Amino acid sequence: MQSVLDAILAFTNWLWGIPMLLWIVGGGLYLSFRLGFLQFTKLGFILKNTIFKGFGKKAENGKFSSWQAVTGALASTLGAGNIIGTAMAIAYGGPGGVFWLWVSGLVCCCVKYSETTVAMKYRRLNKDGQWEGGPQIYLTAGTGWKWISPLYAVVCIVCLFLAASAQIGSSVDNIVGMGAPRLPVTIIMTLLVAVVVIGGMKSLLSVTERLVPAMSVLYIVGTLIVIILNIQNLPAAFASIFRYAFTGRAAVGGFAGAAVTQSIRWGVARGCYSNDSGTGVTTITHAVADVNHPIQQSMWAVFEVFFDTIIVCSLTCFVILTTGVWQQGNVAPAIMTATAFNNTIGNVGTFIVTISVVLFTFTTACAQIEFTEAQFRKLVGDKLSVGCRWGMLALILVGGMVGIDALINYVDFFAGIYTIINLLGVYFCVNQIVKLTKEYFADPQKWETQKWPKWVEEEKEYADAHVKQIDEIASKE
């Protein structure tokens, strides 16, 4: 058994090195080229028409707004990866890992834009009149390959079972680090997650639209305070990122030495783990948004990656590098960020990190359970998929007891597999993505008032079917 686990670990380390660099970053560069590097050329337009225009906006008639949808997606992306995963990138990959995290983040803006675009194109109305979409739908619909969506769903389910457990495991690790007993904390966290997920997507988005802004502000303000108090070390920290990106240097004392491949492996893996680009899972929440054209929601996907990786992860990196905590060999990656805060602003810093980790991982675990159930519905139908929630809640108990270090490599293993599957389908749909992009940007103002024809037709078909069903019931009575 141990030899199998060792083989999985070795394969995972290999996969998340050069192969995933080529598959995600290389593929992302290709998408960027085909889309005119819109994450740079249209960034101003994107920010103007997302966060500066739609912050806090709510939809009418029981639908979900773009803002609500993106908070659900951010609930998944803003998790342990931003605080603990980023620390792991530095601990195991050295400061150079930050460079590769940035590279993956900038390129992955187009990856998430693309997967959100196909998710929006192929989304459909469910029996309750709500939009639903994601890889479980668009992979087969976009490629015509009947096998790809079910295969993705199976691998995704296994990965998210582990990932949700790892999120709660990291949360419990931090609370236990403050002296709390592990078992009661794990039980309480599991019960809180259960309260949210039992209500489904509506309950999830009602929670995330409130928690995501609050937890983001709390953490960002805390990191800025720590960085400012160590501002004299910022130039050297910034320089070390580029110095070690192509030479490699890991944390001293007890951590594995880092060559360039280690910097790439941990930088790319933690970048993708943080923003979920290429996995397809966050498109499940993007797909519920009430917008007039697919690209209007895809622009929010660009903002999501930019905010998650380029802003939040970078702040964590500079906290760790400017405080020098990464060079203290007795500090484990799971508590490295908390240690940096504590060394600078004392117990207040520890409190800020702990609360941030708890909120980040709590919302991520809730979102991942919703994503997993979406895959279950695709495979086994609505009735049987309900049991998925309870199975994941049971595994969250396990994750809380064992912690994130015991699970993270296995999360990486399955995440690598389903990312390969998802991006295979997305890359196949590149011409469709380019066509929709050109259609929208040819006249963005047009889509402020006019709805995409395909959605108008589908909504009419749903309304007609609903009326017919009511008439049939009435006639029987």
Side-chain angles (χ1 to χ4, degrees), residues 95-385:
V98 181
F99 174 83
W100 295 107
L101 183 146
W102 286 343
V103 169
S104 68
L106 290 171
V107 170
C108 283
C109 284
C110 262
V111 174
K112 181 155 285 192
Y113 171 94
S114 298
E115 61 189 4
T116 302
T117 298
V118 289
M120 296 299 289
K121 177 179 179 179
Y122 290 106
R123 69 180 184 171
R124 64 192 182 194
L125 288 168
N126 61 23
K127 59 182 177 60
D128 299 317
Q130 298 287 352
W131 289 109
E132 64 177 19
Q136 73 279 10
I137 296 173
Y138 71 67
L139 287 177
T140 290
T143 64
W145 307 332
K146 294 183 179 180
W147 56 269
I148 192 168
S149 284
L151 177 61
Y152 172 91
V154 170
V155 180
C156 182
I157 287 167
V158 176
C159 183
L160 292 183
F161 265 110
L162 294 172
S165 300
Q167 292 291 335
I168 296 302
S170 64
S171 178
V172 174
D173 283 345
N174 276 265
I175 299 176
V176 169
M178 297 180 68
R182 183 172 288 272
L183 180 58
V185 171
T186 301
I187 292 173
I188 291 171
M189 288 297 298
T190 304
L191 290 175
L192 290 173
V193 172
V195 169
V196 175
V197 302
I198 287 173
M201 182 67 78
K202 184 176 181 180
S203 175
L204 171 66
L205 296 186
S206 69
V207 170
T208 59
E209 71 173 320
R210 294 173 175 83
L211 273 185
V212 167
M215 70 189 193
S216 299
V217 170
L218 172 67
Y219 185 67
I220 288 173
V221 169
T223 57
L224 289 174
I225 291 172
V226 173
I227 293 169
I228 290 171
L229 291 175
N230 294 278
I231 195 70
Q232 71 278 6
N233 300 324
L234 186 59
F238 194 79
S240 69
I241 293 171
F242 295 92
R243 181 184 310 125
Y244 296 119
F246 302 97
T247 59
R249 180 186 173 188
V252 299
F255 294 123
V260 178
T261 53
Q262 282 293 89
S263 291
I264 295 172
R265 180 260 189 268
W266 285 98
V268 173
R270 298 281 64 80
C272 294
Y273 180 66
S274 169
N275 60 51
D276 271 338
S277 292
T279 66
V281 292
T282 59
T283 65
I284 295 170
T285 52
H286 280 292
V288 306
D290 182 30
V291 294
N292 289 341
H293 191 279
I295 302 303
Q296 290 174 322
Q297 191 61 29
S298 300
M299 291 190 296
W300 277 103
V302 175
F303 163 76
E304 177 193 337
V305 178
F306 184 83
F307 178 74
D308 177 274
T309 303
I310 306 304
I311 296 179
V312 179
C313 284
S314 294
L315 289 173
T316 301
C317 292
F318 285 121
V319 162
I320 292 170
L321 294 176
T322 58
T323 58
V325 70
W326 72 282
Q327 293 177 304
Q328 300 173 14
N330 60 338
V331 181
I335 60 170
M336 192 174 280
T337 306
T339 303
F341 269 74
N342 183 266
N343 290 350
T344 305
I345 55 178
N347 291 333
V348 174
T350 304
F351 177 78
I352 290 174
V353 174
T354 300
I355 292 300
S356 297
V357 170
V358 170
L359 292 176
F360 279 30
T361 56
F362 169 74
T363 55
T364 298
C366 292
Q368 288 174 336
I369 290 176
E370 186 66 31
F371 298 158
T372 307
E373 188 172 353
Q375 308 308 313
F376 259 93
R377 283 197 298 271
K378 175 66 177 178
L379 291 175
V380 300
D382 290 338
K383 293 182 179 179
L384 293 178
S385 67

